[in-house]
Amino acid sequence: MRTALITGITGQDGSYLSEFLLDKGYDVHGIIRRSSVDFRERIAHLEGRPHFHLHYADMGDSMSLVKVVGMVRPDEIYNLAAQSHVQVSFDSPEYTANIDATGVLRILEAVRVCGLDQTCRIYQASTSELYGKVEEVPQSETTPFHPYSPYAVAKLYGFWIVKEYREAYGMYCCSGILFNHESERRGETFVTRKISLAAARIAQGMQDCLYLGNLSSMRDWGYAKDYVECMWLILQNDHPDDFVIATGVQHSVREFAYQAFSHAGIVLEFRGEGLDEQGVVKYIDPKLSAVNTKLSTGDVVIRVSPDFYRPTDVVNLWGDPSKAREQLGWNPTKTSFEQLVTIMVDSDMAKVAAEGAAMKVRTNLAEYLEKGIVK
Ligand code: NAP
Ligand code: F7E
């Protein structure tokens, strides 16, 4: 049985990769951090399963990493742990560098210290943010890097240190240069999930308006579940190499919002420009108007706020996945943009409906208690 160690196992990708590797018959180990609140929602369904193990460690703590790597002695390491939010990296640049840059070095050194450098294969979660202020469109493995945030600069160190250890010590370590990938498990402050959740809440009358930043920003969005397969394929290749993982299709934040609201039953029209741009309700699906009587055509449900603008923003990411398609046999278009939006909005519509039902039960209960109907 092959053994894999995943850092960042509680994250979006970590949870999908765990499921993928368990299905392939791997013994899966992951590192987790202590938190004062429950943070394991994405992997709760896997806990207690045979061949699924969790260990406490932190990317900022070499000793904890050496201990886990030495104990697990993995055949494959997937280094997914990171402070992964670009906007947050402007607020916490030093922490981001410690985890996203030096953290990669700690993993590589842990593997060497434990004498696993010639047996353990390492996947590094690199990013399209390396292309940053893009110098070529679309971007491939040969496009020059121009990182444009503290997050991207930290990830650039991760990319180069992986390449250095491959060349200096003959280690099988590779970077997947992943373009944005989303899912129903995406963190709620990334733009796609923020939109899918808001579309569901506005459709069900639980929110009035969604505030966003740069609506014209362009991304190549794929489905996280498809992308974890490619991470695994990168480590099964006959030689270590770096690959762009993308769909090859580009859309703007505005298009994502249009598609998500349409799927929730609200057709939008965008009016105005820059900070004055608004998403206005143009048409409401009759099935929705029957449930949500508050929403009307002409309502402004999207506004732009400077709070979500970044000091430097990356606005034109578009990946060329030809190398991964040709050399790894990976299918970049398994899930289309429209299917991705549908998956996310359907999931959030169900989540919001469940939250609404739970809230109603709580309100009714409070009323019954007050009136003495129940004691
Ligand atoms: P995510 O949902 O934010 O998950 C990040 C994971 O890293 C979480 O499990 C988090 O643990 C863990 N982590 C953060 N700081 C840590 C620390 N100091 N020690 C140990 N673990 C720590 O990110 P994701 O979307 O799954 O992305 C996975 C990786 O791919 C990241 O490295 C990200 O930078 C990179 N990437 C993502 C995308 C994308 O579009 N999703 C694209 C390119 C690259 P907690 O749960 O305890 O916070
Ligand atoms: O922003 C714009 C924002 O935060 C996408 C991470 O997984 O992918 C992710 O980083 C775009 C940016 O993702 C809002 O300015 C507009 O141009 O969803 P995001 P990201 O910054 O691309 C890369 C590949 C990673 O490696 C990262 O780990 O959308 N945008 N309005 C907004 N963004 C956010 N978050 N919130 C807004 O309200």
Side-chain angles (χ1 to χ4, degrees), residues 48-70:
R49 254 178 82 157
H51 308 301
F52 186 73
H53 320 270
L54 299 174
H55 312 269
Y56 282 102
D58 194 291
M59 294 303 289
D61 174 357
S62 304
M63 265 196 269
S64 68
L65 295 174
V66 170
K67 218 157 66 186
V68 173
V69 170

Side-chain angles (χ1 to χ4, degrees), residues 213-218 252-254 277 315:
N214 184 0
L215 295 174
S216 301
S217 188
M218 307 285 284
S252 66
V253 170
R254 188 181 297 101
E277 186 165 355
V315 295

